[in-house]
């Protein structure tokens, strides 16, 4: 009988290493590992070799950075998508792409199933599985961590030792960390107590604001149709631009976030994030939109931003609704071209200037000098009619605004 083939989303960490062996034993299957490079810095060295040593028959390393930036990060940036008004969603935006790359390999390798290492109480299992269901409904999805017998890290390590699986000898990191180009998510350990402020060692890519330089760093970012294309006057590809902003922002203590958030599975969780580039780019993009979008589109778009963020967070990336929202967002971005100047200083971002060929700011209308061209007299009639419903209501209900004594 032909052996079953399973493609595993593999990070090289303890859980996914155990998964390779565990699936191989349980299903008598050939395991193919798929690791996605989303711009995480430290995790990728030696991962392929490790997968082979752990028993995989084939190990893929997929460089997904360009696609991640252009097809995932930038659409979310253009939409202004921040979950619960704050979280730029590095993890959440990355999952559908990892699922897509896993599916591609699975189909190419003739696999009947894919597997991931997400736990049964997080958002990531949903993002993975809903994405796979959309892209290749015929594939089975296995989630070993939800069903296996191991109850602790120690038991998993013992299993590795028994099977000769290489485990990193380094001391256990007290946190669970997920990292990519768009940001880092840090949880577990002492962070589980919402009253404990994150210890210095929780942060991976930013310095504390009080240690940041005493002089502000001024930068300029240029956008074309909502996408950042130049940093400090230099044209650069998205990956490089985000990399640079992570560095500059990190040095200025920008992009830290300590958040209680609502998971899709109903749990409130405490998560610490670092996303210097994402924080700066969302700020800059928003400031440019203030200059170029007309009032109604701007107000409407910010309502839609919350829906768009919910969809990403809740695993609904590959959906007809998101495609439709993208069409709306892209229409609005036709005028989001221009330059934003920012000052970064001790963890804060200040706007220092903005300009655009599509600027709707009209000095002649706004000025209080003699250049003023606004028709002041027209306001009188406008206010009379605009305030008419209010006037009518209170002429009838005369005492309604009076304070009760
Ligand atoms: N709570 C975030 C989310 O659902 C991040 C989860 C990432 N995991 C971690 N190990 N910190 O998108």
């Amino acid at each position: 009988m032909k052996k079953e083939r399973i493609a595993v989303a593999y990070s090289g960490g303890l859980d996914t290493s155990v998964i390779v062996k565990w699936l191989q034993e349980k299903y008598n299957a050939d395991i193919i590992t798929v690791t996605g490079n989303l711009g995480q810095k430290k995790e990728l060295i030696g991962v392929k070799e490790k997968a082979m040593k752990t028993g995989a028959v084939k190990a893929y390393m997929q460089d997904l950075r360009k696609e991640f930036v252009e097809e995932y990060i930038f659409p979310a940036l253009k939409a202004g998508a921040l979950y619960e008004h704050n979280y730029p969603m590095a993890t959440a935006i990355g999952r559908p792409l990892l699922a897509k790359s896993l599916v591609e390999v699975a189909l190419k390798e003739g696999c009947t199933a894919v597997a991931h290492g997400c736990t049964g109480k997080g958002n990531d299992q949903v993002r993975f599985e809903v994405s796979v269901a959309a892209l290749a409904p015929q594939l089975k999805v296995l989630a070993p961590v939800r069903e296996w017998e191991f109850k602790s890290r120690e038991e998993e390590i013992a299993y590795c030792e028994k099977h000769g699986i290489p485990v990193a000898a380094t001391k256990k990191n007290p946190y669970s960390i997920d990292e990519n180009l768009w940001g880092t998510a840090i949880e577990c350990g002492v962070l589980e107590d919402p009253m404990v402020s994150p210890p210095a060692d929780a942060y991976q890519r930013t310095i504390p604001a009080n240690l940041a330089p005493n002089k502000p760093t001024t930068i300029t970012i240029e956008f074309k149709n909502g996408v950042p294309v130049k940093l400090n006057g230099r044209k650069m590809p998205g990956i490089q631009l985000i990399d640079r902003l992570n560095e500059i922002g990190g040095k200025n203590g920008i992009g830290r976030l300590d958040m209680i958030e609502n998971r899709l599975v109903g749990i409130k969780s405490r998560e610490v994030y670092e996303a210097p580039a994402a924080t700066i780019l969302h700020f800059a993009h928003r400031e440019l939109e203030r200059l170029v979008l007309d009032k109604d589109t701007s107000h409407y778009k910010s309502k839609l931003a919350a829906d768009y963020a919910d969809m990403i967070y809740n695993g609904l990336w590959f959906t007809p609704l998101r495609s439709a929202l993208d069409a709306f967002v892209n229409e609005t971005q036709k005028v989001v071209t221009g330059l934003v100047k920012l000052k970064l200083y001790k963890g804060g971002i200040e706007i220092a200037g903005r300009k655009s060929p599509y600027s709707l700011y009209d000095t002649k209308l706004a000025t209080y000098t003699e250049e003023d061209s606004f028709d002041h007299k027209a306001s009188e009639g406008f206010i009379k009619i605009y305030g008419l419903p209010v006037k009518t209501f209170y002429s009838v209900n005369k005492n309604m605004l009076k304070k009760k004594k």
Side-chain angles (χ1 to χ4, degrees):
M1 210 181 79
K2 225 179 124 216
K3 260 190 167 179
E4 191 173 356
R5 290 163 80 75
I6 304 173
V8 176
Y10 180 76
S11 71
L14 182 62
D15 283 342
T16 54
S17 295
V18 174
I19 285 175
V20 170
K21 194 88 225 160
W22 191 85
L23 286 174
Q24 204 179 43
E25 284 196 324
K26 180 164 166 148
Y27 293 92
N28 182 32
D30 280 342
I31 306 298
I32 292 127
T33 63
V34 186
T35 307
N37 177 0
L38 295 181
Q40 59 275 46
K41 286 268 138 60
K42 26 192 156 161
E43 277 175 21
L44 295 169
I45 307 145
V47 167
K48 261 178 91 165
E49 295 70 27
K50 196 172 168 195
M52 298 304 286
K53 274 196 203 132
T54 306
V57 297
K58 222 166 170 181
Y60 281 82
M61 174 66 71
Q62 310 288 78
D63 187 357
L64 306 172
R65 289 173 302 164
K66 190 166 186 286
E67 191 178 359
F68 187 39
V69 169
E70 288 169 8
E71 310 289 329
Y72 293 74
I73 289 177
F74 285 163
L77 174 66
K78 288 190 273 184
L82 296 167
Y83 184 62
E84 297 185 335
H85 304 296
N86 280 319
Y87 165 41
M89 297 189 291
T91 298
I93 297 174
R95 294 308 180 215
L97 177 55
L98 290 174
K100 177 169 171 265
S101 134
L102 182 67
V103 163
E104 277 162 10
V105 172
L107 298 179
K108 184 172 140 209
E109 291 288 339
C111 299
T112 49
V114 294
H116 63 71
C118 307
T119 74
K121 60 194 290 186
N123 298 310
D124 288 334
Q125 52 177 344
V126 183
R127 298 168 184 154
F128 253 113
E129 294 181 33
V130 174
S131 299
V132 173
L135 297 167
Q138 73 277 25
L139 286 175
K140 255 188 304 188
V141 186
L142 305 169
V145 179
R146 283 204 299 246
E147 52 163 301
W148 68 23
E149 60 278 17
F150 310 111
K151 285 192 188 65
S152 66
R153 206 181 145 83
E154 286 64 40
E155 284 180 37
E156 289 183 50
I157 292 172
Y159 179 87
C160 287
E161 276 161 7
K162 193 173 133 208
H163 289 90
I165 300 168
V167 263
T170 52
K171 215 170 99 241
K172 180 189 181 328
N173 190 314
Y175 310 106
S176 157
I177 296 171
D178 184 59
E179 178 209 16
N180 66 41
L181 197 58
W182 201 228
T184 304
I186 308 137
E187 59 180 350
C188 300
V190 293
L191 301 177
E192 286 181 357
D193 180 349
M195 198 50 204
V196 169
S197 130
D201 73 346
Y203 292 106
Q204 317 290 315
R205 64 204 290 175
T206 56
I207 61 163
N210 63 311
L211 297 183
N214 289 325
K215 274 205 300 226
T217 306
T218 303
I219 59 168
T220 60
I221 302 171
E222 276 176 72
F223 289 84
K224 188 161 186 275
N225 302 123
V227 168
V229 288
K230 278 191 193 173
L231 175 61
N232 293 331
R234 266 190 57 206
K235 201 169 164 35
M236 54 181 90
I239 302 176
Q240 203 188 328
L241 188 138
I242 294 170
D243 252 339
R244 271 303 287 145
L245 279 178
N246 275 327
E247 248 169 69
I248 300 170
K251 279 191 195 141
N252 282 284
I254 286 165
R256 290 186 171 190
L257 186 62
D258 175 346
M259 188 165 165
I260 301 288
E261 74 191 34
N262 291 296
R263 282 195 197 160
L264 178 56
V265 293
I267 299 169
K268 270 199 197 297
S269 70
R270 196 278 188 93
E271 192 97 41
V272 172
Y273 297 106
E274 295 175 282
T279 305
I280 295 168
L281 286 172
H282 271 289
F283 185 100
H285 182 261
R286 199 160 52 233
E287 289 302 329
L288 184 56
E289 283 193 334
R290 286 186 209 281
L291 186 68
V292 298
L293 293 188
D294 66 282
K295 176 176 153 184
D296 286 338
T297 304
S298 165
H299 289 191
Y300 196 85
K301 185 170 177 286
S302 50
K303 289 189 251 179
L304 182 140
D307 291 339
Y308 197 101
D310 284 353
M311 294 189 69
I312 296 178
Y313 189 85
N314 294 334
L316 300 176
W317 183 266
F318 297 112
T319 55
L321 178 56
R322 193 191 56 85
S323 305
L325 294 185
D326 270 340
F328 171 86
V329 170
N330 284 333
E331 179 67 26
T332 66
Q333 300 301 294
K334 284 180 176 166
V335 292
V336 187
T337 293
L339 178 141
V340 179
K341 188 166 154 194
L342 303 173
K343 269 189 194 163
L344 315 179
Y345 181 62
K346 291 202 182 284
I349 310 174
E350 256 176 55
I351 177 85
R354 62 294 248 178
K355 63 175 182 187
S356 164
Y358 302 101
S359 171
L360 301 179
Y361 182 87
D362 183 340
T363 312
K364 285 216 167 74
L365 286 176
T367 185
Y368 285 98
T369 67
E370 68 235 14
E371 298 291 297
D372 187 6
S373 71
F374 184 79
D375 181 357
H376 292 240
K377 293 228 169 59
S379 289
E380 193 182 331
F382 164 71
I383 298 166
K384 243 184 209 159
I385 292 174
Y386 175 74
L388 188 56
V390 179
K391 189 175 176 185
T392 310
F393 183 87
Y394 286 111
S395 351
V396 174
N397 302 286
K398 290 196 179 56
N399 297 322
M400 276 239 195
L401 283 180
K402 287 205 180 115
K403 265 207 191 129
K404 280 194 201 114
K405 289 221 176 89

